[in-house]
Amino acid sequence: MSGIRDSLGRVGYDLLSRALAECGREAATGELRVSGKPGGLFHLRGGLVVAVESPGAPGPEVLLLRSGRISAEQWAGLLGEARGARWPEAAMIAHGYAGAAQLRVICMMAMQDAAFAVVAGRVDGCAALGPSVPRAPVEVGESPGRLLQGAVRKLTAVAALPGPVRPDRERPVLAPGVDPDSDQLPLAQRELLSHIDGRRTARDLAFLVGRGVYTVTVELARMLGEGLLECAEGAAGEERGAAPVVIPVRARETGVRRRVTRPGGAAQGGAAQGGATHGGAAAPADKAVSPSPAPDAPDAPEIPEPPSASQLPRRDPGASGITETLAPEKNGASWKGFFRLRHRIWTPDSGT
């Protein structure tokens, strides 16, 4: 599971980041298609993202239907009353199935969850299309940069968990001895454990139970860390690809490097190759070229011993003339002394 901690695909992330930043600067209104796995659609209005749709995350209608807030029959009736509208918000509020604030929260959660699914997957390219027709847009859009940063923070939080997984890659199984119906487990974990069979990813479970893919991914990562689930290392490694090869770094040598002479006569790293002479002709085999002696290392400079206390120069007091400058003033009569003496004299009116 250590391979999940790798960084985002830098090329794909840069493509998505630049495309969204350009749409924000130009206050674009339209649709931005992100190709890849799972990919998705970013719907913009005035440079702000109002909806994100991706096959890697459940939309608002899935969150409503799978969670049991609205039944399939009720949803079909709402679509009939809305006359073809893809998101019958007014009809749901009129029938009391959900409040306006609740629907706004669901649409915002679905948009952020789809952005997380796009960032957690593979991004191959981005292309701006024509006018957008979002299924369930939010009233107040979100900045593209802020939306992208939030998705990256979520992916970083998942990678920091003890058992990190990706939404569409790992397919965990129950650990031996784990009872999915145990009363000691939280209700959310029991619901997920009852659907885990080794063939479903976090994305599949999110569509099945009607919860956000980020929430399900975090729950699976926690259960993997607690030992409730297991994930085959081989299968996960095949999906992610080979692990990066660690290249050892050779430590840099310190100190003076001396020339080492070989018994054959040529010095290691020397300029003579194959016994060639200065004129370019080969030297005879019986006359070996004697290596030049290595230069001796320079002697270290001698450090003189510090002088003793008796050899230090002594200071002559008053030689600098500072004593004359700091000499105390001579005492003399002044008006200041007169006023001090006046206050000390006793008079009948003073009361002292």
Side-chain angles (χ1 to χ4, degrees), residues 256-258 293-301:
V256 180
R257 184 178 181 183
R258 296 181 177 274
D296 298 334
D299 298 335

Side-chain angles (χ1 to χ4, degrees), residues 227-241:
L228 300 177
L229 299 176
E230 291 181 352
C231 190
E233 290 287 347
E238 292 175 0
E239 293 182 2
R240 286 192 299 267

Side-chain angles (χ1 to χ4, degrees), residues 165-201:
V165 295
R166 289 290 177 94
D168 58 345
R169 296 188 182 181
E170 286 76 17
R171 306 174 189 272
V173 296
L174 293 177
V178 175
D179 183 12
D181 299 328
S182 176
D183 296 337
Q184 298 180 357
L185 299 176
L187 180 60
Q189 291 186 357
R190 292 204 303 266
E191 183 181 12
L192 292 177
L193 290 175
S194 62
H195 296 290
I196 291 177
D197 55 0
R199 298 188 300 270
R200 294 189 174 102
T201 61

Side-chain angles (χ1 to χ4, degrees), residues 7-351:
S7 60
L8 296 173
R10 181 55 53 189
V11 176
Y13 176 77
D14 290 343
L15 288 175
L16 180 59
S17 178
R18 287 197 299 265
L20 288 176
E22 184 178 357
C23 293
R25 288 193 302 267
E26 297 179 357
T29 298
E31 183 179 280
L32 179 67
R33 180 179 296 276
V34 180
S35 59
K37 182 182 179 182
L41 294 175
F42 284 76
H43 301 273
L44 297 102
R45 182 186 302 161
L48 300 178
V49 182
V50 295
V52 182
E53 301 172 2
S54 172
E61 68 281 2
V62 178
L63 297 178
L64 288 174
L65 293 173
R66 297 289 185 178
S67 61
R69 296 184 178 93
I70 299 177
S71 63
E73 293 77 9
Q74 293 173 343
W75 182 257
L78 292 174
L79 291 178
E81 295 179 9
R83 297 179 181 179
R86 303 173 64 186
W87 181 245
E89 180 178 0
M92 285 188 287
I93 297 175
H95 287 275
Y97 297 146
Q102 185 180 10
L103 294 178
R104 286 196 297 268
V105 171
I106 291 176
C107 292
M108 180 62 70
M109 290 174 55
M111 181 180 70
Q112 296 176 354
D113 202 46
F116 166 76
V118 173
V119 173
R122 187 186 72 248
V123 177
D124 295 336
C126 302
L129 302 179
S132 65
V133 184
R135 181 184 300 272
V138 296
E139 295 181 0
V140 180
E142 191 167 357
S143 170
R146 183 178 179 182
L147 181 64
L148 192 60
Q149 291 176 2
V152 173
R153 283 196 299 267
K154 291 180 180 179
L155 187 59
T156 305
V158 172
L161 294 175
V165 295
R166 289 290 177 94
D168 58 345
R169 296 188 182 181
E170 286 76 17
R171 306 174 189 272
V173 296
L174 293 177
V178 175
D179 183 12
D181 299 328
S182 176
D183 296 337
Q184 298 180 357
L185 299 176
L187 180 60
Q189 291 186 357
R190 292 204 303 266
E191 183 181 12
L192 292 177
L193 290 175
S194 62
H195 296 290
I196 291 177
D197 55 0
R199 298 188 300 270
R200 294 189 174 102
T201 61
R203 178 258 182 197
D204 302 332
L205 294 172
F207 275 89
L208 191 61
V209 300
R211 296 168 61 183
V213 67
Y214 171 70
T215 305
V216 175
T217 303
V218 171
E219 200 66 48
L220 291 184
R222 290 176 177 173
M223 288 191 290
L224 280 168
E226 296 172 0
L228 300 177
L229 299 176
E230 291 181 352
C231 190
E233 290 287 347
E238 292 175 0
E239 293 182 2
R240 286 192 299 267
V245 179
V246 180
I247 302 176
V249 180
R250 184 179 178 182
R252 187 176 181 180
E253 298 180 358
T254 57
V256 180
R257 184 178 181 183
R258 296 181 177 274
R259 297 178 62 185
V260 180
T261 57
R262 296 181 179 178
Q268 180 181 1
Q273 299 291 336
T277 60
H278 178 71
D286 55 346
K287 294 182 179 181
V289 180
S290 60
S292 59
D296 298 334
D299 298 335
E302 297 182 359
I303 301 176
E305 297 182 358
S308 59
S310 60
Q311 299 176 356
L312 295 176
R314 294 184 176 274
R315 178 177 174 273
D316 187 8
S320 61
I322 193 67
T323 54
E324 298 179 0
T325 305
L326 300 179
E329 298 179 358
K330 297 181 180 181
N331 295 331
S334 62
W335 287 101
K336 188 184 298 183
F338 172 76
F339 283 110
R340 291 199 191 102
L341 180 62
R342 181 174 178 273
H343 285 293
R344 292 179 183 177
I345 300 177
W346 181 86
T347 59
D349 299 334
S350 62

